[in-house]
């Protein structure tokens, strides 16, 4: 997993917590193995961090471009847009499914307590896989 050095302590400690609680991570392969394609990585249910790319549908760089964002198990935790579109295609959000992240879960609480944001709490869309650390933090 490639991340910004400012996130290393948080990511290591959260992965240790996830391991202790047996939270399943399908796979975690550097995005370069998917030819830098976020769509291919998500379709493969790959947990990823650094990826130099724009926010979907914009010309603004994503926090993934700076190694300050991570997406977990995209097939269990898709991005659900207000128009009903789901990414990756074919994904289904079911909070009871192992590896799914839901409001109130330990993983959400842990990231939030460290100053990260969770895409599942957004109103413009629900990006259940996504956590990011804003620039002004750490």
């Amino acid at each position: 997993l490639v991340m910004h050095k400012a996130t290393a302590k948080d990511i290591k400690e959260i992965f240790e917590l996830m391991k202790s609680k047996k939270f399943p991570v399908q796979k975690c392969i550097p995005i370069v193995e998917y030819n830098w394609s976020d769509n291919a990585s998500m379709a493969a249910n790959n947990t990823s961090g650094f990826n130099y790319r724009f926010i979907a549908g914009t010309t603004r760089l994503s926090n993934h471009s700076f190694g300050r964002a991570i997406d977990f198990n995209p097939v269990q935790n898709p991005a659900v847009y207000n128009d009903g579109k789901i990414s990756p295609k074919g994904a289904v959000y079911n909070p009871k499914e192992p590896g799914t992240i839901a409001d109130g879960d330990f993983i959400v609480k842990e990231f939030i307590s460290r100053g990260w944001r969770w895409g599942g709490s957004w109103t413009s869309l629900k990006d259940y896989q996504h956590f990011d650390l804003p620039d002004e933090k750490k």
Side-chain angles (χ1 to χ4, degrees):
L1 184 66
V2 179
M3 298 291 294
H4 189 284
K5 66 183 176 181
T7 70
K9 182 177 185 288
D10 288 350
I11 294 298
K12 182 177 183 198
E13 290 174 356
I14 290 169
F15 266 86
E16 288 295 328
L17 180 62
M18 291 166 63
K19 182 179 177 183
S20 75
K21 294 191 176 276
K22 298 182 177 13
F23 181 89
V25 173
Q26 179 67 32
K27 61 177 82 166
C28 192
I29 299 170
I31 198 102
V32 67
E33 296 297 321
Y34 296 92
N35 294 315
W36 301 102
S37 170
D38 188 45
N39 288 333
S41 176
M42 285 192 303
N45 206 23
N46 186 49
T47 293
S48 65
F50 171 75
N51 185 7
Y52 191 80
R53 65 177 179 80
F54 296 110
I55 296 170
T58 76
T59 57
R60 289 187 4 239
L61 287 174
S62 164
N63 275 335
H64 288 281
S65 297
F66 309 103
R68 299 179 72 87
I70 186 169
D71 291 342
F72 288 97
N73 299 336
V75 171
Q76 283 87 15
N77 301 293
V80 180
Y81 297 85
N82 291 340
D83 64 2
K85 178 184 168 201
I86 295 178
S87 182
K89 288 182 181 178
V92 175
Y93 182 68
N94 176 357
K96 295 182 191 231
E97 184 76 23
T100 302
I101 300 166
D103 192 25
D105 285 354
F106 77 91
I107 190 170
V108 174
K109 290 177 184 175
E110 193 62 32
F111 270 106
I112 298 299
S113 75
R114 295 165 183 261
W116 291 66
R117 300 180 296 198
W118 178 48
S121 65
W122 297 345
T123 55
S124 59
L125 76 142
K126 297 294 185 189
D127 195 355
Y128 295 107
Q129 64 194 274
H130 182 89
F131 292 91
D132 67 18
L133 184 64
D135 284 338
E136 65 273 6
K137 304 284 185 185
K138 298 190 180 180

